[in-house]
Amino acid sequence: MIDIRNATFYYNEPDEEDEDAGHKPALSHVSLNIPFGEFVAFLGRNGSGKSSLSRLLNGIELPTEGTVLVEGHNTSERSSLPAIRRAVQIVFQNPENQQVGITVGEDIAFGLSNIGWPQEEIASRIAWAIQLVGLEADEERPVSNLSGGEKQKLALASVLALAPRCLILDEATSMLDPVARRQFVETLHEVRKQVPFTLIYITHHLEEVTGADRWVLFRSGEIIAEGTPAKLEQDTVLLENCGLELPYYHRLAGLLRQQGISVPADMNEQKLRDLLCT
Ligand SMILES: Nc1ncnc2c1ncn2[C@@H]1O[C@H](COP(=O)(O)OP(=O)(O)OP(=O)(O)O)[C@@H](O)[C@H]1O
Ligand SMILES: [Mg+2]
Protein backbone atom coordinates (compact mmCIF):
# COMPACT_ATOMS: atom_id res chain seq x y z
CA MET A 1 0.00 0.00 0.00
CA ILE A 2 3.01 2.28 0.54
CA ASP A 3 5.84 2.44 -1.92
CA ILE A 4 8.72 4.84 -1.28
CA ARG A 5 11.21 4.97 -4.12
CA ASN A 6 14.60 6.53 -3.60
CA ALA A 7 13.22 9.48 -1.65
CA THR A 8 15.52 12.27 -0.55
CA PHE A 9 14.12 15.13 1.48
CA TYR A 10 15.43 18.54 2.54
CA TYR A 11 13.33 20.79 4.78
CA ASN A 12 14.91 23.72 3.00
CA GLU A 13 16.07 23.22 -0.56
CA PRO A 14 19.86 23.51 -0.46
CA ASP A 15 21.50 26.20 -2.54
CA GLU A 16 25.02 25.69 -3.81
CA GLU A 17 26.60 27.42 -0.82
CA ASP A 18 24.74 25.11 1.57
CA GLU A 19 25.88 22.09 -0.38
CA ASP A 20 29.44 23.26 -0.02
CA ALA A 21 28.80 23.74 3.68
CA GLY A 22 27.63 20.14 3.90
CA HIS A 23 23.89 20.87 4.25
CA LYS A 24 22.47 17.44 4.95
CA PRO A 25 19.08 16.10 3.91
CA ALA A 26 16.63 14.91 6.59
CA LEU A 27 16.19 11.78 4.46
CA SER A 28 18.59 10.37 1.94
CA HIS A 29 17.77 7.80 -0.78
CA VAL A 30 15.10 6.02 1.20
CA SER A 31 13.27 3.11 -0.44
CA LEU A 32 10.65 1.10 1.41
CA ASN A 33 7.63 -0.96 0.51
CA ILE A 34 4.88 -1.61 3.07
CA PRO A 35 2.03 -3.98 2.15
CA PHE A 36 -1.47 -3.40 3.53
CA GLY A 37 -1.96 -4.76 7.04
CA GLU A 38 1.70 -4.89 8.02
CA PHE A 39 2.84 -3.72 11.48
CA VAL A 40 6.12 -1.89 10.97
CA ALA A 41 8.25 -0.17 13.59
CA PHE A 42 10.43 2.83 12.65
CA LEU A 43 13.38 2.90 15.03
CA GLY A 44 16.45 5.08 15.47
CA ARG A 45 18.07 7.91 17.39
CA ASN A 46 16.71 11.43 17.74
CA GLY A 47 16.97 13.21 14.42
CA SER A 48 17.46 10.05 12.36
CA GLY A 49 14.50 10.83 10.07
CA LYS A 50 11.58 8.76 11.40
CA SER A 51 9.11 11.64 11.75
CA SER A 52 10.24 13.18 8.49
CA LEU A 53 9.43 9.98 6.64
CA SER A 54 6.00 9.79 8.27
CA ARG A 55 5.32 13.37 7.12
CA LEU A 56 6.17 12.34 3.58
CA LEU A 57 3.70 9.47 3.81
CA ASN A 58 0.62 11.62 4.17
CA GLY A 59 1.84 14.40 1.96
CA ILE A 60 2.41 17.03 4.70
CA GLU A 61 5.87 17.22 3.11
CA LEU A 62 6.91 16.24 -0.41
CA PRO A 63 10.13 14.47 -1.35
CA THR A 64 12.81 16.72 -2.85
CA GLU A 65 13.79 13.77 -5.05
CA GLY A 66 12.22 10.38 -5.60
CA THR A 67 8.58 9.37 -5.21
CA VAL A 68 6.17 8.40 -2.47
CA LEU A 69 3.16 6.36 -3.56
CA VAL A 70 0.20 5.62 -1.28
CA GLU A 71 -2.14 3.03 -2.75
CA GLY A 72 -0.86 4.02 -6.15
CA HIS A 73 -1.39 7.78 -5.59
CA ASN A 74 1.70 9.95 -5.92
CA THR A 75 1.95 12.43 -3.00
CA SER A 76 3.47 14.99 -5.37
CA GLU A 77 0.21 15.19 -7.33
CA ARG A 78 -1.97 17.79 -5.67
CA SER A 79 -5.19 16.10 -6.81
CA SER A 80 -4.21 12.93 -4.91
CA LEU A 81 -3.72 14.64 -1.56
CA PRO A 82 -7.30 14.41 -0.20
CA ALA A 83 -7.35 10.62 -0.79
CA ILE A 84 -3.84 10.22 0.68
CA ARG A 85 -4.57 12.33 3.78
CA ARG A 86 -7.68 10.31 4.39
CA ALA A 87 -5.88 6.97 3.95
CA VAL A 88 -2.91 7.84 6.16
CA GLN A 89 -3.60 9.22 9.62
CA ILE A 90 -0.91 10.27 12.10
CA VAL A 91 -1.10 10.54 15.89
CA PHE A 92 1.74 12.64 17.26
CA GLN A 93 3.52 12.71 20.57
CA ASN A 94 1.34 15.24 22.32
CA PRO A 95 -2.36 14.36 22.02
CA GLU A 96 -3.41 17.79 23.28
CA ASN A 97 -2.10 19.38 20.09
CA GLN A 98 -4.57 17.29 18.16
CA GLN A 99 -7.62 17.70 20.34
CA VAL A 100 -10.08 20.18 18.91
CA GLY A 101 -13.36 19.46 20.71
CA ILE A 102 -14.51 20.58 24.15
CA THR A 103 -16.09 17.18 24.77
CA VAL A 104 -15.05 13.66 23.81
CA GLY A 105 -17.93 13.45 21.31
CA GLU A 106 -17.11 16.78 19.66
CA ASP A 107 -13.51 15.77 19.32
CA ILE A 108 -14.33 12.60 17.42
CA ALA A 109 -17.10 14.29 15.40
CA PHE A 110 -14.76 17.00 14.12
CA GLY A 111 -12.75 14.73 11.80
CA LEU A 112 -15.85 12.84 10.72
CA SER A 113 -17.62 16.06 9.66
CA ASN A 114 -14.46 17.16 7.85
CA ILE A 115 -14.43 14.09 5.64
CA GLY A 116 -18.17 14.33 5.02
CA TRP A 117 -19.26 11.33 7.05
CA PRO A 118 -23.09 11.09 6.77
CA GLN A 119 -24.47 13.37 9.50
CA GLU A 120 -27.03 10.81 10.69
CA GLU A 121 -24.31 8.19 11.22
CA ILE A 122 -21.91 10.38 13.22
CA ALA A 123 -23.43 9.64 16.64
CA SER A 124 -23.20 5.88 16.19
CA ARG A 125 -19.65 6.20 14.83
CA ILE A 126 -18.61 8.19 17.92
CA ALA A 127 -20.05 5.48 20.19
CA TRP A 128 -18.29 2.80 18.13
CA ALA A 129 -14.91 4.55 18.35
CA ILE A 130 -15.18 5.16 22.12
CA GLN A 131 -16.01 1.52 22.70
CA LEU A 132 -13.31 0.34 20.27
CA VAL A 133 -10.44 1.90 22.21
CA GLY A 134 -11.96 1.08 25.60
CA LEU A 135 -12.21 4.71 26.62
CA GLU A 136 -14.26 4.82 29.78
CA ALA A 137 -15.92 8.11 29.10
CA ASP A 138 -19.21 9.07 27.59
CA GLU A 139 -19.29 11.53 24.75
CA GLU A 140 -20.39 14.42 26.95
CA ARG A 141 -17.24 14.26 29.08
CA PRO A 142 -15.03 17.35 28.79
CA VAL A 143 -11.66 16.57 27.21
CA SER A 144 -9.98 18.67 29.92
CA ASN A 145 -11.11 16.10 32.52
CA LEU A 146 -9.32 13.19 30.89
CA SER A 147 -6.05 11.75 32.19
CA GLY A 148 -2.97 11.61 29.94
CA GLY A 149 -3.68 7.98 29.05
CA GLU A 150 -7.34 8.73 28.33
CA LYS A 151 -6.31 11.61 26.07
CA GLN A 152 -4.07 9.23 24.14
CA LYS A 153 -6.98 6.84 23.76
CA LEU A 154 -9.21 9.69 22.59
CA ALA A 155 -6.62 10.68 19.98
CA LEU A 156 -6.61 7.06 18.83
CA ALA A 157 -10.44 6.91 18.78
CA SER A 158 -10.64 10.14 16.77
CA VAL A 159 -8.38 8.81 14.01
CA LEU A 160 -9.76 5.25 14.00
CA ALA A 161 -13.26 6.66 13.53
CA LEU A 162 -12.05 7.86 10.13
CA ALA A 163 -11.30 4.25 9.08
CA PRO A 164 -7.69 4.91 8.02
CA ARG A 165 -5.96 2.41 5.74
CA CYS A 166 -2.71 3.27 7.48
CA LEU A 167 -2.17 4.59 10.98
CA ILE A 168 1.12 6.16 12.01
CA LEU A 169 1.77 6.53 15.72
CA ASP A 170 4.70 8.89 16.17
CA GLU A 171 5.83 8.39 19.77
CA ALA A 172 2.17 8.48 20.69
CA THR A 173 2.86 6.70 23.99
CA SER A 174 5.70 8.92 25.13
CA MET A 175 3.53 10.78 27.64
CA LEU A 176 2.41 7.58 29.36
CA ASP A 177 3.83 5.73 32.32
CA PRO A 178 4.90 2.11 31.66
CA VAL A 179 1.58 0.60 32.82
CA ALA A 180 -0.55 2.96 30.72
CA ARG A 181 1.84 2.43 27.80
CA ARG A 182 1.39 -1.34 27.97
CA GLN A 183 -2.39 -0.90 28.12
CA PHE A 184 -2.33 1.40 25.12
CA VAL A 185 -0.31 -1.09 23.08
CA GLU A 186 -2.68 -3.90 24.09
CA THR A 187 -5.67 -1.78 23.09
CA LEU A 188 -4.10 -1.17 19.74
CA HIS A 189 -3.62 -4.88 19.09
CA GLU A 190 -7.20 -5.62 20.10
CA VAL A 191 -8.41 -2.93 17.70
CA ARG A 192 -6.34 -4.32 14.83
CA LYS A 193 -7.98 -7.70 15.24
CA GLN A 194 -11.37 -6.06 14.71
CA VAL A 195 -10.47 -3.57 11.97
CA PRO A 196 -7.31 -4.31 9.98
CA PHE A 197 -5.05 -1.45 8.90
CA THR A 198 -1.38 -0.88 8.25
CA LEU A 199 0.38 0.23 11.43
CA ILE A 200 3.57 2.26 11.46
CA TYR A 201 4.78 2.59 15.02
CA ILE A 202 7.54 5.05 15.90
CA THR A 203 9.10 4.62 19.31
CA HIS A 204 12.29 4.58 21.35
CA HIS A 205 11.00 1.63 23.41
CA LEU A 206 11.75 -1.71 21.75
CA GLU A 207 9.51 -3.61 24.18
CA GLU A 208 6.48 -1.96 22.54
CA VAL A 209 7.34 -3.41 19.15
CA THR A 210 8.55 -6.94 19.85
CA GLY A 211 5.31 -8.10 18.16
CA ALA A 212 5.90 -6.09 14.97
CA ASP A 213 6.17 -7.83 11.60
CA ARG A 214 9.21 -5.76 10.73
CA TRP A 215 11.65 -3.30 12.23
CA VAL A 216 13.09 -0.54 10.05
CA LEU A 217 16.25 1.03 11.47
CA PHE A 218 17.12 4.65 10.67
CA ARG A 219 20.46 6.38 11.03
CA SER A 220 21.28 9.92 9.86
CA GLY A 221 18.37 10.02 7.42
CA GLU A 222 19.01 6.62 5.89
CA ILE A 223 17.43 3.22 6.37
CA ILE A 224 20.38 1.10 7.39
CA ALA A 225 18.64 -2.20 8.14
CA GLU A 226 15.25 -3.86 8.12
CA GLY A 227 14.03 -7.27 9.14
CA THR A 228 11.98 -9.22 11.64
CA PRO A 229 12.48 -8.42 15.33
CA ALA A 230 13.72 -12.01 15.84
CA LYS A 231 16.50 -11.40 13.33
CA LEU A 232 17.50 -7.86 14.32
CA GLU A 233 17.41 -8.58 18.04
CA GLN A 234 20.41 -10.83 17.53
CA ASP A 235 22.50 -7.96 16.19
CA THR A 236 23.20 -6.00 19.35
CA VAL A 237 26.04 -4.05 17.69
CA LEU A 238 23.68 -2.79 14.98
CA LEU A 239 21.03 -1.87 17.55
CA GLU A 240 23.55 -0.02 19.68
CA ASN A 241 24.67 1.79 16.56
CA CYS A 242 21.12 3.05 16.16
CA GLY A 243 20.86 4.07 19.81
CA LEU A 244 18.49 1.23 20.65
CA GLU A 245 18.48 -0.82 23.80
CA LEU A 246 16.83 -4.23 24.09
CA PRO A 247 14.37 -4.72 26.97
CA TYR A 248 16.08 -5.81 30.19
CA TYR A 249 14.75 -9.39 29.88
CA HIS A 250 16.66 -9.82 26.61
CA ARG A 251 19.89 -8.78 28.29
CA LEU A 252 19.11 -10.99 31.26
CA ALA A 253 18.45 -13.96 28.93
CA GLY A 254 21.82 -13.30 27.27
CA LEU A 255 23.60 -13.23 30.63
CA LEU A 256 21.91 -16.51 31.64
CA ARG A 257 23.02 -18.15 28.39
CA GLN A 258 26.58 -16.98 29.08
CA GLN A 259 26.34 -18.89 32.37
CA GLY A 260 25.43 -22.04 30.41
CA ILE A 261 21.71 -21.91 31.26
CA SER A 262 19.51 -22.90 28.32
CA VAL A 263 17.09 -20.09 27.46
CA PRO A 264 14.78 -20.44 24.42
CA ALA A 265 15.20 -17.87 21.63
CA ASP A 266 11.60 -16.58 21.68
CA MET A 267 11.92 -15.13 25.16
CA ASN A 268 9.54 -12.58 26.62
CA GLU A 269 9.11 -11.17 30.10
CA GLN A 270 6.52 -13.74 31.21
CA LYS A 271 8.40 -16.73 29.77
CA LEU A 272 11.62 -15.64 31.43
CA ARG A 273 9.84 -15.20 34.75
CA ASP A 274 8.34 -18.71 34.43
CA LEU A 275 11.75 -20.14 33.57
CA LEU A 276 13.41 -18.45 36.54
CA CYS A 277 10.70 -19.77 38.87
CA THR A 278 11.22 -23.39 37.82
N1 LIG B 1 10.69 21.35 10.78
C1 LIG B 1 11.98 21.11 10.53
N2 LIG B 1 12.75 22.01 9.87
C2 LIG B 1 14.06 21.79 9.59
N3 LIG B 1 14.70 20.63 9.93
C3 LIG B 1 13.99 19.70 10.58
C4 LIG B 1 12.60 19.88 10.93
N4 LIG B 1 12.17 18.77 11.57
C5 LIG B 1 13.23 17.94 11.64
N5 LIG B 1 14.32 18.49 11.05
C6 LIG B 1 15.64 17.86 10.90
O1 LIG B 1 15.50 16.68 10.11
C7 LIG B 1 16.28 15.61 10.60
C8 LIG B 1 15.40 14.41 10.90
O2 LIG B 1 14.52 14.75 11.95
P1 LIG B 1 13.25 13.89 12.37
O3 LIG B 1 12.38 14.77 13.19
O4 LIG B 1 12.68 13.26 11.17
O5 LIG B 1 13.94 12.78 13.29
P2 LIG B 1 13.28 11.67 14.24
O6 LIG B 1 13.95 10.40 13.89
O7 LIG B 1 11.82 11.74 14.16
O8 LIG B 1 13.79 12.14 15.68
P3 LIG B 1 13.09 12.04 17.13
O9 LIG B 1 13.32 10.63 17.61
O10 LIG B 1 13.84 13.04 17.94
O11 LIG B 1 11.64 12.38 16.96
C9 LIG B 1 17.01 16.16 11.81
O12 LIG B 1 18.30 16.55 11.40
C10 LIG B 1 16.20 17.35 12.22
O13 LIG B 1 17.01 18.33 12.82
MG1 LIG C 1 10.32 12.18 15.58
Side-chain angles (χ1 to χ4, degrees):
M1 85 158 285
I2 283 167
D3 191 8
I4 304 157
R5 297 184 189 161
N6 203 23
T8 292
F9 173 61
Y10 288 87
Y11 278 93
N12 304 297
E13 290 256 356
D15 52 32
E16 271 170 32
E17 259 175 51
D18 280 343
E19 265 174 33
D20 293 343
H23 182 80
K24 284 193 36 158
L27 293 166
S28 183
H29 303 289
V30 168
S31 293
L32 185 68
N33 197 289
I34 304 176
F36 178 76
E38 196 179 13
F39 171 12
V40 187
F42 285 1
L43 303 164
R45 288 181 197 282
N46 296 124
S48 57
K50 308 176 300 289
S51 297
S52 301
L53 188 58
S54 61
R55 289 198 198 103
L56 289 189
L57 293 182
N58 85 340
I60 304 175
E61 303 283 0
L62 300 176
T64 315
E65 285 166 37
T67 49
V68 175
L69 300 171
V70 175
E71 305 208 280
H73 298 288
N74 190 327
T75 58
S76 296
E77 282 165 19
R78 193 172 268 275
S79 60
S80 299
L81 284 180
I84 290 169
R85 297 225 169 114
R86 177 149 179 200
V88 180
Q89 298 286 335
I90 308 183
V91 178
F92 294 102
Q93 193 162 11
N94 187 346
E96 285 166 18
N97 292 345
Q98 281 178 281
Q99 266 136 14
V100 286
I102 307 268
T103 65
V104 166
E106 276 175 20
D107 201 72
I108 302 173
F110 181 79
L112 288 169
S113 301
N114 258 349
I115 61 165
W117 199 271
Q119 206 60 38
E120 63 279 11
E121 288 170 26
I122 286 186
S124 62
R125 190 68 177 173
I126 292 171
W128 174 85
I130 289 175
Q131 176 268 326
L132 187 67
V133 301
L135 183 62
E136 292 187 13
D138 65 49
E139 58 179 277
E140 301 299 331
R141 185 136 165 231
V143 174
S144 57
N145 285 0
L146 301 179
S147 72
E150 288 170 331
K151 282 181 182 153
Q152 296 280 17
K153 283 187 176 181
L154 174 59
L156 188 62
S158 295
V159 293
L160 289 174
L162 308 175
R165 299 271 300 159
C166 175
L167 177 66
I168 303 176
L169 298 178
D170 191 348
E171 299 188 42
T173 57
S174 56
M175 313 259 291
L176 304 182
D177 63 49
V179 174
R181 186 179 294 153
R182 198 172 306 146
Q183 276 173 359
F184 182 86
V185 174
E186 279 167 17
T187 303
L188 198 61
H189 293 311
E190 282 308 309
V191 171
R192 284 184 74 240
K193 283 184 207 153
Q194 295 179 48
V195 277
F197 50 86
T198 304
L199 176 62
I200 297 176
Y201 199 103
I202 302 176
T203 181
H204 289 274
H205 303 277
L206 288 182
E207 67 273 18
E208 292 177 57
V209 290
T210 49
D213 297 314
R214 186 156 50 132
W215 286 357
V216 176
L217 306 192
F218 288 73
R219 198 179 59 195
S220 310
E222 292 176 42
I223 292 179
I224 62 157
E226 51 172 301
T228 60
K231 179 177 155 226
L232 295 184
E233 271 166 11
Q234 308 297 320
D235 197 340
T236 44
V237 175
L238 174 70
L239 293 180
E240 226 167 83
N241 228 309
C242 295
L244 298 163
E245 202 177 303
L246 284 167
Y248 75 93
Y249 52 85
H250 272 269
R251 280 175 282 137
L252 185 54
L255 291 172
L256 290 169
R257 285 189 198 104
Q258 280 174 22
Q259 298 298 313
I261 297 166
S262 155
V263 182
D266 65 332
M267 197 36 66
N268 62 27
E269 191 170 15
Q270 188 58 47
K271 284 186 191 168
L272 190 61
R273 194 178 298 155
D274 293 346
L275 182 87
L276 288 175
C277 290
T278 50

